[in-house]
């Protein structure tokens, strides 16, 4: 009886999860097939290519973070509110950077 009801309302959770990730599994299988034929040297070059792609994608954000940190360090010691505001901006930029890493990966 419970099996009938679960089928009536869309199946169990594991079936739903499998259906959800199936397109991702197909993409991974395609990528695996394309990389399986590469030699070790070619795979090393791919790693360097991926690192360069990630660095290029993150470069503007990294430059902004560096500039804001430098600006905060240049502020006088007694301007704690100004430094705190800049460091809060830097924290937001670092969170955005983490999101960009997820996107590029």
């Amino acid at each position: 009886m419970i099996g009938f009801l679960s089928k009536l309302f869309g199946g169990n959770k594991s079936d739903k999860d499998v259906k959800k990730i199936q397109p991702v599994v197909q993409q991974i299988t395609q990528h695996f097939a394309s990389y399986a034929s590469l030699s070790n040297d070619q795979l090393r070059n791919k790693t360097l290519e991926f690192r360069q792609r990630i660095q290029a994608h993150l470069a503007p954000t990294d430059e902004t973070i560096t500039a804001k940190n430098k600006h905060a360090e240049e502020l006088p010691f007694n301007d704690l509110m100004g430094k705190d505001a800049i460091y809060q901006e830097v924290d937001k930029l670092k969170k955005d950077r983490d999101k960009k890493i997820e996107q590029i990966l």
Side-chain angles (χ1 to χ4, degrees), residues 3-56:
F4 172 73
L5 289 175
S6 68
K7 288 181 182 178
L8 183 65
F9 291 109
N12 60 17
K13 176 140 174 44
S14 63
D15 291 339
K16 290 179 185 178
D17 290 343
V18 168
K19 286 180 184 177
K20 185 178 178 180
I21 64 168
Q22 193 61 35
V24 176
V25 171
Q26 290 173 352
Q27 286 179 339
I28 291 170
T29 305
Q30 290 173 352
H31 287 295
F32 176 77
S34 67
Y35 291 125
S37 64
L38 296 177
S39 70
N40 287 339
D41 290 335
Q42 290 171 325
L43 284 173
R44 283 186 203 100
N45 290 336
K46 281 288 186 189
T47 302
L48 294 175
E49 177 187 332
F50 291 145
R51 285 182 181 165
Q52 290 171 351
R53 218 186 289 174
I54 291 168
Q55 286 176 348

